[in-house]
Amino acid sequence: MEYRRLGRSGLQVSSIGLGTNNFGSRMEEKESLEVVRHAVDAGINFIDTANSYGNTLSEQFLGKALKGIRDSVVLATKVHSSTGEGPNQKGSSRLHIMREVENSLKRLQTDFIDLYQMHFWDPNTPIEETLRALDDLVRQGKVRYIGC
């Protein structure tokens, strides 16, 4: 497998990543876990998901699949999409980001997220608010890298 730097960081990620948008929607848990194991065995170390994929099942399935091998992958997840009813259940506000990172950490069964990304632009939230929340997560050690 070929590896490349993630952006301008020193982090090395596989040139082929595993996207998990189908986990929990088109693929059941057993198949999802098998796909992760095969990908990791093939040298893929970059796995991408989002808090909303498969109505949160993608993150749940990944948490189970990565037991015992979490340190061998670069785990990326995203935040923005609606996770419930109400005006504060989506977007890039500090409230939503801080709530959802905790939910993602629980579902992924991990203490940190390697790459936490903003899934979409939020025209209703000042970018300074979003960036401050993300910076605080890095300082807290819950997130290692941020992206968009």
Side-chain angles (χ1 to χ4, degrees):
M1 179 61 63
E2 181 181 330
Y3 298 91
R4 299 179 180 154
R5 285 184 16 201
L6 178 67
R8 295 183 183 162
S9 76
L11 187 64
Q12 298 288 312
V13 294
S14 51
S15 58
I16 298 171
L18 175 62
T20 63
N21 189 29
N22 290 327
F23 288 14
S25 57
R26 294 183 182 150
M27 295 178 67
E28 298 297 326
E29 182 176 342
K30 183 180 180 212
E31 293 87 11
S32 299
L33 273 61
E34 289 175 9
V35 166
V36 171
R37 293 295 175 156
H38 285 299
V40 171
D41 288 346
I44 293 173
N45 77 340
F46 184 75
I47 301 177
D48 177 73
T49 190
N51 66 330
S52 60
Y53 288 174
N55 197 25
T56 76
L57 288 175
S58 178
E59 286 186 337
Q60 292 177 51
F61 292 175
L62 276 175
K64 292 176 182 178
L66 296 176
K67 279 203 183 252
I69 59 168
R70 170 64 180 96
D71 289 339
S72 65
V73 301
V74 175
L75 184 56
T77 193
K78 298 180 281 297
V79 63
H80 181 283
S81 298
S82 180
T83 55
E85 300 295 320
N88 293 310
Q89 300 296 320
K90 65 179 178 179
S92 301
S93 70
R94 180 178 188 83
L95 176 71
H96 186 66
I97 291 170
M98 295 303 201
R99 180 185 302 137
E100 285 306 305
V101 77
E102 294 299 332
N103 291 335
S104 289
L105 288 168
K106 287 177 191 167
R107 288 187 293 261
L108 292 164
Q109 300 180 39
T110 188
D111 296 330
F112 65 93
I113 295 164
D114 294 301
L115 176 61
Y116 199 51
Q117 302 167 96
M118 300 311 305
H119 209 167
F120 302 102
W121 173 253
D122 182 354
N124 299 312
T125 303
I127 190 69
E128 296 84 5
E129 178 180 344
T130 301
L131 290 175
R132 182 55 199 242
L134 294 172
D135 185 57
D136 287 348
L137 292 174
V138 171
R139 291 175 188 274
Q140 293 168 12
K142 294 178 181 182
V143 170
R144 302 264 170 95
Y145 299 88
I146 60 170
C148 179

